[in-house]
Amino acid sequence: SVIGGAKKTFAEFEAFMDSLQLPMLNEGFTDPSRKDDALPLQTLLNRISTGFDDVAPKAYFATPVIWAAENGITTGTSATAFSPDAGCTRAQFVTFLWRAVGSPSAGAAANPFGDAQDGSYYYDAVLWAVSKGITTGTSATAFSPGATLTRAQTATFLYRLAGQPNV
């Protein structure tokens, strides 16, 4: 888990607690009737256990989410949210794949897509995916980074990433 594993010093634990950005712990919590500056206990426990407010430690997907976060495959949808029930965009999924294989360089791959902007979080991932034949875009000139990935596109990306094995 986020704070599990090797034994932590008190200073490391204190730094971790500070990083959680919890007003009720960092600034003192003196009035329990004020709910505007306090996280519900379950949210606090989720954040401590999994790193995300919206991922309960006993959720079926908690361990994979922790693994993906610890291995740099995902950073969540914000500093404290994973958004487990949200759809996944084409940009997010290609970025997950790219990070899962170590964020390799695409070399001198050209960008064929007018909607994949240099400087975006997914730009290098898209160039890599194009260079490896994982994506050909939704047209010759569009990647559609904000579009929700379909199940068919997901299977196609995974199949191509696997080297298009015989079935």
Side-chain angles (χ1 to χ4, degrees), residues 60-81:
Y60 75 90
F61 54 84
T63 299
V65 168
I66 293 167
W67 170 83
E70 287 180 349
N71 286 283
I73 296 167
T74 186
T75 57
T77 55
S78 78
T80 59

Side-chain angles (χ1 to χ4, degrees), residues 135-159:
T135 186
T136 57
T138 54
S139 76
T141 59
F143 177 70
S144 304
T148 300
L149 192 72
T150 66
R151 292 171 55 82
Q153 291 167 343
T154 302
T156 301
F157 285 177
L158 291 170
Y159 174 73

Side-chain angles (χ1 to χ4, degrees), residues 120-143:
S120 62
Y121 76 89
Y122 57 85
Y123 183 75
D124 291 336
V126 169
L127 291 185
W128 165 80
V130 168
S131 75
K132 295 298 180 189
I134 294 167
T135 186
T136 57
T138 54
S139 76
T141 59
F143 177 70

